[in-house]
Amino acid sequence: MKNKLPSRRKFLKLGVAAGASALFVGGSNMLSALTNNDPKETGEKVKVLTQDGKLVDVDKGHLCCPPVSNKEARQGIPDKKMVMVIDLAKCRNARKCLQGCQSMHMLPPHMEWIKFYLMRDTEDQAPYWFPKPCLHCNNPPCVKVCPVGATFKRTDGIVLIDNDRCIGCKFCMAACPYSSRVFNWEEPKLPKVAHKQPYSPETSTPPKIGTVSKCDFCPDMVRKGELPACVKSCPNGVFYYGDKNEDAVTNGTDTVLFSELLESRAAYRFMEELGTEPSVYYLPAVDRAFDYKTGFEGLSEDEIALYKKEAKITE
Amino acid sequence: MNEDEKTQQNLIAFKPQLEKISKKGIALIVFLSLVILFGLYCLYIQDTKGHIVTGMRDNVVWGLYIVNFIFFIGISYAGALISGILHLLRVPWRTPIIRMAEMITVISTLIGPGYILLCIGRLDRLPNLLLFGRIQSPIIWDVIAITTYLSGSIIFLYLATIRDLAILRDNPVKVAKWRNPIYRFMSVRYKDTTKQKELLNVVTDLLSIVIIPLAILVHSVLAWIFGMTLRPGWHSTIFAPYFVIAAVYSGTGVLIMVMWVFRKVYHLESHITKIHFNYLAIIMIVLGALYGYFTFSEYLTSWYGSIKWDMEVLYRLFNPDQYFLQFVFAVFIGVMVPIIIVTVPRFRNINSIAFAAVIAVFALWVKRYLIIIPTLESPLLPIHDLRPEFVHYSATWVEWSLTFAGIALFVLLFYLFSKFVPIIPIVRTGEEKDYSRLRKVVFENQMKKVIKKNKKSDMISTGIILLLMLVSVPCAMAQDETRIKTVLKLEYFHVDSAQNLTATLQAKVEGRYLPLQGMEIGFKFLQGSTEKSMGTAMTNEQGNVTFSFPDDILATKGDKGVYSFTASFSGKDNYDKASASATMKPLRMEISFSQKGQDKMIDLKAFEPGKKVDEWVPVDKLDIQFYVPRTFSLLKVGKGTITNGTTSLEFPTSIPGNQLGYLTIVAKVEENEIYGNVEVSGTINWGKPLPLTKIIKRGLGDTDAPLWMVYTLIVLLSVVWFHYMYVIFTVFRIRHLGKS
């Protein structure tokens, strides 16, 4: 909220145009889909660009995401290729992204879709914080091994799980080299409203016992033209998210050219040598905004000790 | 059928086994049944409470079950080895042990897959394997391979039993007579005629040829479940042959154990002799040596290469606090002890060979544990978890109970089967000589925790909860005399032709501003000194209300072209009242695109009201920002200053548009003191065209499998199942021949 307030004003100013841009590419596809539903009209008009470059006024209520079918959820949002850029120089392990993620996806406290590592390979180097969501690989080892196609790679680059199809064999968990996947070991205890909520692979809620789950890149939010929970929650603007096809990523406050950001900051992909081709890019922790020790705030002593051990810090 | 003297002797010797069950036998059946029933109870617990009852967690996703799975599929090799290779090579001493070997194969192939089912979180969704099966997945390979192997093994066991079934048909059992019709039906009128004999021999040979490569494939596929992942200690080309060798090694060991047990229980000393133990022991140690060689090669390679993650697994295996003792037992004692026992003549006797076999089998079980657990405990990224059970695997009583239930089921099925057909074939095949003389949190808490955590730092969720409380319980709040301060903001937006006012209402709670929903905001238009009400509107969930007003309001010109608006909130319940005002001067902007030679330009013109009615004059010194709309936000592409009513910017041709290259340019005046927020947009196909979406290919990660995989599978399955069909067809021919 703190960081959201100034951006809200900005958002309002941008609101109309941003909404239109959500449909900028392939707008005609969505327009035809929109007319089939019975949307609530809000009276607020939004401009939508059609395939042949015409601007059309559409009611905002028509835009806001009719529930997607399982087939649509498996295909992906047309003409998009979602990417994330994580700026390691700005991360201080505040874990707001995780909190935002957990409340959005109704996750129990221990179920972490974003994990935090304190990285340091040798004692000669300096430690830095490393948040890791699912990397949404373009060559995903998890998708390859799924026996029933419950986890799949979409055309927009997002790797999702269909918890209505997953048989819980955990092969994808064993196959994922990044430990991105978690399992619902017991019946998830959810508020009553959550049970009434219809399940969709795009929302990943409500979670289901005996199935695998992981970071889903918030495709439901993308459809609304909104940013994922982690991007919105980060107080330091660590996460940039966007459509590679549009060559733009944003962290909520700044919108930058994706190609330029990668070039100017010497971005890399995590464990490129595995050939998994992640959709998440990291910006090296050069000129860190915070001392790594600020990341220990609010952590238990045991956890601090564990981080120190992992980063080979002897103090 | 004709019975020779030897067959008669065997029949007399073995028939009591079929007809009598000793008290010890009944006690054994009851005991084993109880162990199995307890296992079923554990399965019920696991299925209702979820896999939380096992020791498996997010990192060690597989545990004892998969270890038992590999173990049982491994010992099923006994049948493939003995019945396949020994049969084809016409090894004369194989006959007395051939049925035991085949029974081990069938029973363990039945039990093994049971353990992989225990690893599955949703047993109710098993049909999905058939409905949505992807042949790119090694699990599907396994399902196909194991069912095919099991079918073949059952047929093979049956073929090798037909002769005895015929004997039993001709000499009906006197106890449990319900079995006699089964013997009669299953013996397919086999009368040992020359033609029947010939047909049976041909199909037995044929099946033993098919079963050998099939068995190798089954265990390779099993190894590939692990080998195909990018895990240290698993991702190794040696894995398939390594698993095959380890499997035959343990299979031979189990066969020796079974031989030893039945030899004692059924007093088969004259049939299973030292020579059988000796020969099998030699095969076992050769396999043991090969297993040792493969192990050495595997660990030497990974140690010498010393990749970080490989070293982590090796560190676990060689660390005395972790798996060192088990490792020594599995790869050192498990190889050396059997070799010493068998090679040193002094140590070599039936009991010591049986002991060597026990060591080998147990070592191999431990080895499978060491293949699975240490690797899963060594992910590429460290396991950052404070819960010990998520870091180190330790099997629970549920897993152990089910492990023992599997072993009990193995023994029980074996015992019951030995009561149905003789454990040793009664009818001896022609080429055999008489050797008798030689002889397997809670969401509410989370919410509480989030609230708790938020008290420390983040107020988002707390704010939302508080707000919900404030909005939903106004009555309760009304009694509270605390007044809540509110803030109202008013901004003017002019987007293309649409003009509107946006008011944002916020309440100051605990030092933070939170949006107020469902509050009525009144809008007024100031003309000179007179106020004119434009209407009211309610705030949305973000505390916003946007008021669009018709052009004719602006057409009525105010003083010097300047307009004033006010928005007011009259207060509600204990929210204080608030008001805000905005003053603006209309600004008309026009965007156009022009091309001069190679230069593509964005041209922007801006006008403001002049002194006369309907007169617009060019603006000067006004900052303009240029943007391109993207999915989530506006991407800034440049800025300019209006001079004498115009400004130009080079078109950003490098920015992707849609598939036809259409790109929208938004020009904005932001938070200007005189003009407010004015924006205008235009679209042209000068952007970088977006490449067309690629057609979905047949890849490992796609829904459809690569064609070579489909063809390979079809060819392999056709070949094997064609042979099965041929064998079954021949059995019917044998039955038909028996009519005459």
Side-chain angles (χ1 to χ4, degrees):
Chain A
M1 201 62 58
K2 190 173 128 198
N3 62 307
K4 218 186 153 185
L5 276 182
S7 68
R8 170 170 299 113
R9 277 168 57 213
K10 207 160 187 175
F11 178 73
L12 280 171
K13 287 181 281 177
L14 314 182
V16 176
S21 63
L23 299 180
F24 181 67
V25 180
S28 58
N29 287 349
M30 269 187 92
L31 271 179
S32 58
L34 295 167
T35 49
N36 297 330
N37 290 283
D38 51 332
K40 290 172 206 152
E41 297 207 353
T42 60
E44 200 177 332
K45 296 288 179 192
V46 162
K47 284 197 166 33
V48 167
L49 184 72
T50 59
Q51 185 75 27
D52 50 349
K54 281 176 193 151
L55 279 172
V56 180
D57 279 327
V58 169
D59 192 280
K60 206 177 176 187
H62 292 230
L63 286 181
C64 214
C65 330
V68 289
S69 67
N70 188 278
K71 199 186 165 191
E72 284 173 293
R74 295 183 75 86
Q75 275 171 349
I77 308 165
D79 301 318
K80 288 206 182 296
K81 177 77 189 68
M82 305 318 294
V83 285
M84 187 179 267
V85 182
I86 298 176
D87 190 349
L88 297 174
K90 291 192 225 153
C91 182
R92 64 168 190 90
N93 193 34
R95 304 201 174 198
K96 296 286 180 283
C97 51
L98 179 65
Q99 285 168 21
C101 175
Q102 285 183 326
S103 65
M104 180 171 178
H105 298 101
M106 301 177 195
L107 304 177
H110 282 300
M111 194 171 263
E112 300 179 342
W113 284 4
I114 305 171
K115 288 178 180 163
F116 307 89
Y117 299 95
L118 184 57
M119 295 290 219
R120 186 162 87 148
D121 296 324
T122 68
E123 284 166 27
D124 300 329
Q125 294 162 305
Y128 59 92
W129 291 101
F130 188 88
K132 185 199 64 63
C134 168
L135 302 186
H136 294 268
C137 307
N138 291 319
N139 181 20
C142 52
V143 170
K144 288 194 225 173
V145 300
C146 181
V148 293
T151 186
F152 47 88
K153 178 81 180 169
R154 315 200 308 173
T155 54
D156 56 6
I158 299 178
V159 174
L160 285 187
I161 299 167
D162 185 346
N163 290 96
D164 277 339
R165 190 188 276 192
C166 177
I167 60 167
C169 70
K170 306 165 198 149
F171 198 1
C172 54
M173 299 179 76
C176 175
Y178 304 107
S179 307
S180 291
R181 292 176 169 247
V182 287
F183 195 73
N184 289 292
W185 296 101
E186 54 191 327
E187 190 64 60
K189 288 191 179 132
L190 301 165
K192 277 176 190 169
V193 280
H195 289 292
K196 287 177 190 160
Q197 198 180 328
Y199 174 81
S200 163
E202 290 207 347
T203 56
S204 304
T205 49
K208 295 183 178 188
I209 186 175
T211 60
V212 179
S213 72
K214 67 161 188 76
C215 155
D216 60 8
F217 251 28
C218 291
D220 52 325
M221 300 298 278
V222 178
R223 283 201 200 262
K224 287 185 218 164
E226 285 180 41
L227 288 164
C230 54
V231 183
K232 284 200 279 197
S233 314
C234 180
N236 302 316
V238 169
F239 298 92
Y240 288 84
Y241 190 65
D243 179 3
K244 191 182 163 190
N245 286 343
E246 290 180 347
D247 196 19
V249 285
T250 180
N251 63 359
T253 349
D254 296 326
T255 304
V256 290
L257 275 170
F258 170 68
S259 53
E260 220 174 78
L261 184 67
L262 295 199
E263 189 197 339
S264 65
R265 298 286 303 276
Y268 70 94
R269 297 196 292 196
F270 191 48
M271 294 187 192
E272 183 75 68
E273 67 272 23
L274 294 175
T276 50
E277 299 175 23
S279 295
V280 176
Y281 293 78
Y282 283 92
L283 303 180
V286 180
D287 296 330
R288 265 154 265 191
F290 305 96
D291 186 87
Y292 78 90
K293 281 177 189 155
T294 56
F296 291 150
E297 278 169 29
L299 298 182
S300 70
E301 285 196 6
D302 289 344
E303 189 153 20
I304 295 170
L306 183 59
Y307 271 129
K308 283 185 172 171
K309 191 186 155 205
E310 284 163 8
K312 302 167 189 80
I313 298 166
T314 46
E315 281 162 37
Chain B
M1 68 182 265
N2 299 320
E3 290 157 25
D4 57 25
E5 199 188 323
K6 181 70 193 155
T7 308
Q8 282 295 345
Q9 276 174 23
N10 282 346
L11 188 65
I12 292 157
F14 287 99
K15 213 148 168 224
Q17 284 174 29
L18 299 177
E19 297 187 326
K20 268 192 272 178
I21 297 183
S22 63
K23 278 180 185 162
K24 275 183 192 167
I26 291 169
L28 181 74
I29 291 173
V30 172
F31 172 71
L32 294 172
S33 303
L34 286 173
V35 176
I36 294 162
L37 279 175
F38 189 72
L40 288 174
Y41 167 70
C42 289
L43 177 60
Y44 169 77
I45 287 183
Q46 183 181 308
D47 207 45
T48 48
K49 291 192 178 171
H51 282 212
I52 193 81
V53 299
T54 69
M56 299 186 276
R57 289 296 181 273
D58 285 348
N59 288 290
V60 185
V61 292
W62 294 331
L64 275 196
Y65 298 150
I66 210 105
V67 172
N68 293 330
F69 171 58
I70 311 170
F71 179 77
F72 276 104
I73 297 296
I75 61 173
S76 77
Y77 253 60
L81 172 86
I82 306 300
S83 44
I85 298 169
L86 297 188
H87 175 88
L88 276 179
L89 298 173
R90 301 279 187 269
V91 175
W93 47 267
R94 75 180 188 277
T95 318
I97 55 175
I98 198 163
R99 185 157 301 148
M100 279 188 264
E102 262 307 317
M103 277 161 67
I104 292 172
T105 301
V106 173
I107 295 168
S108 56
T109 314
L110 276 170
I111 295 170
Y115 279 107
I116 210 154
L117 295 183
L118 293 177
C119 294
I120 284 174
R122 294 294 291 251
L123 286 170
D124 54 318
R125 293 186 183 163
L126 274 182
N128 285 3
L129 283 170
L130 294 172
L131 293 171
F132 309 110
R134 295 171 72 245
I135 63 164
Q136 296 100 312
S137 172
I139 290 209
I140 295 292
W141 303 350
D142 235 343
V143 171
I144 296 169
I146 287 174
T147 45
T148 308
Y149 181 53
L150 181 62
S151 312
S153 298
I154 291 171
I155 299 171
F156 196 80
L157 175 64
Y158 173 65
L159 289 180
T161 319
I162 288 181
R163 286 188 174 94
D164 280 8
L165 288 167
I167 296 281
L168 289 167
R169 173 199 61 209
D170 298 340
N171 302 277
V173 286
K174 290 172 186 94
V175 184
K177 287 180 180 160
W178 55 268
R179 295 201 299 218
N180 289 324
I182 301 174
Y183 291 141
R184 200 177 311 126
F185 174 78
M186 289 185 71
S187 59
V188 289
R189 298 190 193 119
Y190 186 80
K191 282 163 187 152
D192 209 30
T193 62
T194 321
K195 186 72 185 159
Q196 280 183 320
K197 208 176 187 170
E198 195 193 310
L199 283 174
L200 191 58
N201 284 339
V202 166
V203 289
T204 311
D205 279 0
L206 192 67
L207 209 53
S208 57
I209 292 170
V210 176
I211 217 106
I212 294 165
L214 189 58
I216 289 172
L217 211 57
V218 170
H219 228 76
S220 298
V221 166
L222 184 50
W224 289 335
I225 285 193
F226 309 101
M228 296 297 158
T229 63
L230 299 171
R231 289 274 185 162
W234 285 4
H235 191 56
S236 156
T237 50
I238 206 171
F239 246 44
Y242 189 21
F243 266 53
V244 171
I245 288 297
V248 202
Y249 186 35
S250 63
T252 316
V254 169
L255 179 60
I256 291 174
M257 284 164 65
V258 169
M259 276 161 55
W260 187 87
V261 170
F262 279 108
R263 188 172 178 269
K264 282 266 182 276
V265 176
Y266 289 156
H267 306 288
L268 306 171
E269 285 83 358
S270 61
H271 298 270
I272 305 172
T273 62
K274 196 179 175 187
I275 202 154
H276 294 102
F277 280 91
N278 278 347
Y279 283 163
L280 273 182
I282 288 162
I283 292 175
M284 184 176 76
I285 61 158
V286 169
L287 292 166
L290 269 172
Y291 158 73
Y293 157 71
F294 271 51
T295 307
F296 184 71
S297 171
E298 167 77 353
Y299 291 108
L300 178 74
T301 309
S302 79
W303 174 78
Y304 204 102
S306 64
I307 292 172
K308 181 182 159 190
W309 300 297
D310 282 338
M311 290 310 276
E312 234 171 79
V313 177
L314 285 182
Y315 171 78
R316 283 181 203 284
L317 293 172
F318 287 93
N319 187 343
D321 296 330
Q322 296 197 42
Y323 299 103
F324 187 61
L325 288 175
Q326 292 99 310
F327 185 71
V328 166
F329 176 74
V331 304
F332 214 75
I333 295 172
V335 174
M336 291 317 290
V337 168
I339 290 180
I340 291 165
I341 290 174
V342 176
T343 46
V344 178
R346 274 184 61 192
F347 302 145
R348 190 170 57 212
N349 59 56
I350 292 175
N351 290 335
S352 70
I353 288 172
F355 174 71
V358 173
I359 296 280
V361 171
F362 192 55
L364 265 280
W365 188 92
V366 174
K367 176 67 179 129
R368 269 86 182 227
Y369 189 92
L370 293 179
I371 287 174
I372 305 304
I373 314 300
T375 284
L376 286 173
E377 283 182 354
S378 317
L380 271 57
L381 279 160
I383 304 175
H384 183 80
D385 213 308
L386 291 171
R387 296 161 293 176
E389 73 268 27
F390 274 72
V391 179
H392 291 295
Y393 172 78
S394 116
T396 60
W397 63 274
V398 173
E399 289 167 285
W400 282 116
S401 304
L402 279 158
T403 300
F404 288 117
I407 296 166
L409 184 63
F410 181 84
V411 176
L412 181 67
L413 286 176
F414 224 109
Y415 187 72
L416 293 178
F417 203 81
S418 77
K419 290 285 162 201
F420 184 73
V421 287
I423 197 74
I424 285 179
I426 301 171
V427 182
R428 300 300 157 96
T429 45
E431 78 275 11
E432 189 209 354
K433 289 170 195 162
D434 190 353
Y435 280 87
S436 57
R437 263 166 274 141
L438 291 165
R439 317 269 187 208
K440 209 43 133 133
V441 177
V442 185
F443 182 71
E444 277 110 34
N445 280 350
Q446 181 221 344
M447 285 308 286
K448 279 176 200 157
K449 200 185 163 184
V450 168
I451 293 166
K452 232 185 226 169
K453 261 190 187 169
N454 286 349
K455 273 184 183 150
K456 289 181 208 151
S457 50
D458 177 51
M459 295 300 294
I460 300 172
S461 304
T462 319
I464 292 164
I465 291 159
L466 277 173
L467 179 73
L468 287 171
M469 284 163 64
L470 292 176
V471 175
S472 62
V473 211
C475 306
M477 291 305 291
Q479 291 164 352
D480 188 352
E481 286 306 303
T482 334
R483 303 298 298 175
I484 298 167
K485 240 183 163 177
T486 57
V487 178
L488 190 63
K489 283 172 193 162
L490 183 64
E491 283 182 289
Y492 167 77
F493 292 92
H494 184 169
V495 179
D496 294 334
S497 59
Q499 300 177 62
N500 44 52
L501 285 170
T502 294
T504 309
L505 185 65
Q506 291 168 327
K508 194 176 179 183
V509 182
E510 287 186 18
R512 279 164 196 272
Y513 291 98
L514 302 167
L516 274 177
Q517 190 185 358
M519 298 294 163
E520 197 180 65
I521 308 290
F523 289 92
K524 280 171 190 154
F525 172 52
L526 281 174
Q527 192 172 18
S529 54
T530 48
E531 267 190 2
K532 195 176 168 187
S533 177
M534 301 196 300
T536 57
M538 304 288 267
T539 56
N540 65 12
E541 56 187 1
Q542 281 152 347
N544 298 322
V545 53
T546 299
F547 193 89
S548 309
F549 46 89
D551 278 347
D552 60 313
I553 290 184
L554 287 182
T556 349
K557 288 198 177 164
D559 296 339
K560 296 164 192 169
V562 175
Y563 303 89
S564 289
F565 304 94
T566 57
S568 56
F569 168 56
S570 53
K572 196 179 175 186
D573 304 324
N574 49 348
Y575 294 113
D576 276 341
K577 61 181 181 182
S579 66
S581 61
T583 308
M584 53 72 61
K585 196 172 184 178
L587 181 75
R588 209 175 82 196
M589 293 205 292
E590 286 162 11
I591 193 165
S592 60
F593 303 98
S594 63
Q595 190 171 8
K596 282 171 200 153
Q598 287 294 311
D599 300 329
K600 288 174 177 169
M601 305 297 289
I602 306 165
D603 300 319
L604 192 74
K605 291 188 177 109
F607 307 93
E608 60 179 6
K611 287 172 185 158
K612 294 177 197 161
V613 174
D614 284 336
E615 184 199 26
W616 294 88
V617 293
V619 182
D620 202 26
K621 288 177 187 166
L622 180 64
D623 287 334
I624 305 285
Q625 311 287 341
F626 292 94
Y627 296 96
V628 163
R630 305 279 72 160
T631 306
F632 305 106
S633 51
L634 294 177
L635 175 70
K636 198 172 174 176
V637 290
K639 59 180 179 185
T641 306
I642 300 264
T643 321
N644 262 330
T646 67
T647 187
S648 289
L649 184 82
E650 207 182 314
F651 193 91
T653 46
S654 63
I655 290 182
N658 70 3
Q659 284 173 355
L660 294 172
Y662 279 100
L663 193 64
T664 298
I665 301 288
V666 177
K668 292 178 77 163
V669 171
E670 293 173 335
E671 291 180 18
N672 189 283
E673 284 173 9
I674 307 166
Y675 306 104
N677 298 280
V678 187
E679 91 174 57
V680 65
S681 63
T683 301
I684 194 159
N685 59 345
W686 287 352
K688 202 164 91 185
L690 186 73
L692 291 163
T693 317
K694 279 177 201 159
I695 301 155
I696 296 164
K697 60 185 196 293
R698 286 174 165 270
L700 281 176
D702 296 317
T703 309
D704 297 314
L707 283 171
W708 75 265
M709 264 187 173
V710 181
Y711 296 143
T712 306
L713 185 75
I714 291 171
V715 169
L716 282 176
L717 278 179
S718 323
V719 169
V720 173
W721 282 93
F722 169 77
H723 283 93
Y724 288 180
M725 290 306 152
Y726 178 74
V727 169
I728 292 165
F729 169 75
T730 311
V731 169
F732 278 100
R733 267 189 75 192
I734 289 170
R735 186 181 164 87
H736 183 75
L737 284 165
K739 265 184 185 167
S740 48

